[in-house]
Amino acid sequence: MKNFYVFFMLIFLCNSIIAQNTYKENCKRSHISNSTQRVNYLQYPTMNKYDIKYLKLDIAAEANNYFISGSCCTVSKAVSDVDSFVTELKSNMTVDSIFVDGVKKTFSQSNDHVIVKLSPSIPTNSFFSVLIFYKGTTISNSGVYAGTASNNTLSYTATLSESYQAREWFPIKQILSDKIDSTDIWVTTSNTNKVGSNGNLLGVDNLANNKVRYRWHSNHPMNYYMPSIAVGNYQEYKNYAKPAAISPDSILILHYIPNSQSFLSSNKTNLDKTPAFVEKLSELYGLYPFYDEKYGHSTAEISGGMEHQTMTTMCSNCYGESIVAHELGHQWFGDHVTCAKWNDIWLNEGFASYSEYLMAEKLPNLFSTSAAASMLSVHSNVMRSSSGSVYVPDASVYDENRIFSSQLSYDKGSAIIHTLRFEMQSDSLFFKTLKNFQTQFKDSVATGEDFKNVAEATCNKSFADFFTQWYYGQGYPTYNVTYYKSTANTLLLSVSENVSASTYTSFFKGLLELKITSNQGDTTVLINLNSNDQIFQFNYNKTPTGIVIDPNNWIINKNGTISNSIILPVKILAFTGSSSNCNYLLNWTTTNELSIRKYEIQYSQDGINYNTIGTLNALKDSENNYAFTFNESTLANCLFRLKVIEENGSEFYSNSINIVSNCNIAFEVSVYPNPILNNEINVNIHSNHSGVNQLYLYNSIGQLIKKENVVVKKGLNNPFRWNHLGHLSKGTYYIKIINEEGQQINQKLLKN
Ligand SMILES: [Zn+2]
């Protein structure tokens, strides 16, 4: 609590010192051309040692004039010991004096930074105020825009600080992660002007010399590029939005517009749409975050709109319903929650652009173009280029043309939010995700990964593939569909895709709608595409006439070929075989076998005549592995093939494979029982050759007692009972077996 006391004392200090200052106004006007494209950007890391809690600008500015003078006071908390206070301010601005905690300090300016050495340093966790008196002619159209509008009576000076231009007109650290917790923005100008800025207008003070001072205050945290002023000879026009959540209260919508009746009458219809947008977006995203302050527009020719917190700056020709919806959408996405890094500008521009779509979808009467037509044109704009990611790569993070690429950050950014909504298959989950994201990251910053995590937690589903393909990845798919009526009630759809930037994204997985057209009525089906050439089977008893790919335009894609033909049946990815332990082992893998009934396994010795040796029914999964063992070892080698029989009765064959038997069992003989019983013996021959073997029985002095030929089959146990040997007396005997190769085995036998 003590710290808070100090904090408020410091704010008081900011105000009391400013009040003593008198401004020396210089009406010099200068136009300097825009700065060249930035390729790098120096920031002193020392600025991370403090966290800005409060900002007060007390400046003088006139319409159609680039000169700004006044003071900037910040109250900050030391995150670590601050031995020098560093802030950013363009070097063309002159610093007159600096006070730290009310004490005047020496300072230096270099590399567009202002540096104040502090001794002793400000200790960690303490609050300190820095008051800077400065003035200068700002660089034209770089942070400050001033001029007159030819088509009406407007004379204006307005600021636009995004992305790196706040320092053009006031001293500030341009670090996204440090939001300024509250602000006072006071602007002194001629009493013919009005001044639009952030938050609530606390008052307008009449000063000497026909001057007025506008005092704006905001209690909501805002990013460094949000503080803004728009000074002009405006007329004021007001609406009130009445979101259900705060009924019967309302939110002021304050428009500072060119002071001509014709401007008001030609723009009134669109200005009057603003309350409806505030109310609808409050339903969809959560209550308008700054409902206790206001929303509004100030007019200045900044070539577009800029979503300054609670008061968008808008060019005089920009009050179309789409830009009004876009800048309003930013109040949630960009202002309330800001991208943590410029890489993730999607969180600002993608969602603001999708706000345009949502307003057209939800409030079609307020739009001249349908939501569907606008999404179609967004898609075609994206596909003018075959590559490019929504995520801004590190190499481009200082390139404002890339950050604010209309094709990637705005259009593709909006389109992939639409696709994500489709992937969720639930508007309830989709809008819950948006609200959860707002709640979780309000008054703070977030990354694309943060959004992904909220979506995954809300939907209890992984969106890893989605973000890899659509956010970090590049390009888009072109879908090809073949449809085939395989039975009276079955439709098969074979779907494949080509991609436009295969180096970066080789395949787009995900849901896809296909509309099957028919004279008997169209049918839309949903498939989940996981790999190329997937076949999908549907119960379908109509006669199809064609396919419409992605009929509701959820996905950035192009149409490839659509054909009605017999879908190439099963793909046999691998048909292989081997021999093991005198068995033939066959294996094959298939895909797309929805149309297949069964497989017959056939073998042949001559490659002409095939015999079926087994049948397996088709498993009909998207990919299947089959194994079959042929228990026949008498054949030295075999040809095998698959006969594939389809559900409709047609059939085809796989290629043939030749397998050589590895049956290499040695010539083995066992004779039993030994000693001999009952004048008979059993002989078991195991040979790696088929053929006729000769058996001989001799007595101990080599006399042949009996001889017999037996037929032996290769690889098998070939048992023979050899009886009728006559009476064998006690003694020693020998048995000799000779196989077809001439190999022989002798064994000694005993008779007791
Ligand atoms: Zn925008």
Side-chain angles (χ1 to χ4, degrees), residues 662-724:
N662 76 339
C663 214
N664 269 326
I665 295 164
F667 179 42
E668 288 173 354
V669 175
S670 56
V671 184
Y672 55 93
N674 185 7
I676 301 167
L677 293 173
N678 303 325
N679 303 323
E680 68 172 47
I681 53 178
N682 294 293
V683 181
N684 190 30
I685 302 170
H686 207 120
S687 174
N688 52 356
H689 298 280
S690 296
V692 177
N693 284 208
Q694 297 147 39
L695 275 62
Y696 301 88
L697 183 67
Y698 302 96
N699 64 15
S700 61
I701 57 170
Q703 294 171 317
L704 180 66
I705 296 169
K706 193 168 173 74
K707 176 191 172 202
E708 188 163 336
N709 290 339
V710 299
V711 176
V712 167
K713 282 192 169 182
K714 168 188 167 182
L716 297 181
N717 290 318
N718 295 277
F720 301 100
R721 173 184 275 192
W722 205 9
N723 50 16
H724 308 297

Side-chain angles (χ1 to χ4, degrees), residues 375-386 411-412 415-416 418-419 422-423 469-470 474-481 495-501 507-515 527 529 547-562:
M375 187 53 74
L376 204 58
S377 98
V378 161
H379 283 187
S380 74
N381 186 34
V382 172
M383 290 188 289
R384 274 191 226 141
S385 170
S386 62
D411 284 345
K412 193 172 182 187
I416 70 169
H418 198 52
T419 308
F422 175 62
E423 280 287 321
Q469 295 162 189
W470 290 111
Q474 301 192 30
Y476 56 85
T478 295
Y479 297 114
N480 310 295
V481 180
V495 184
S496 69
E497 70 175 49
N498 315 106
V499 295
S500 67
F507 193 80
F508 289 86
K509 291 182 182 178
L511 300 178
L512 174 65
E513 279 183 344
L514 299 170
K515 183 161 82 180
I527 62 168
L529 198 59
I547 302 286
V548 180
I549 295 166
D550 190 28
N552 295 307
N553 209 29
W554 288 107
I555 299 165
I556 303 164
N557 75 89
K558 280 187 178 165
N559 287 344
T561 57
I562 294 172

Side-chain angles (χ1 to χ4, degrees), residues 305 307 326-327 330 348-349 352-353 410:
E307 64 272 20
H326 178 105
E327 306 305 336
H330 268 307
N348 297 21
E349 299 304 344
S353 301
Y410 291 66

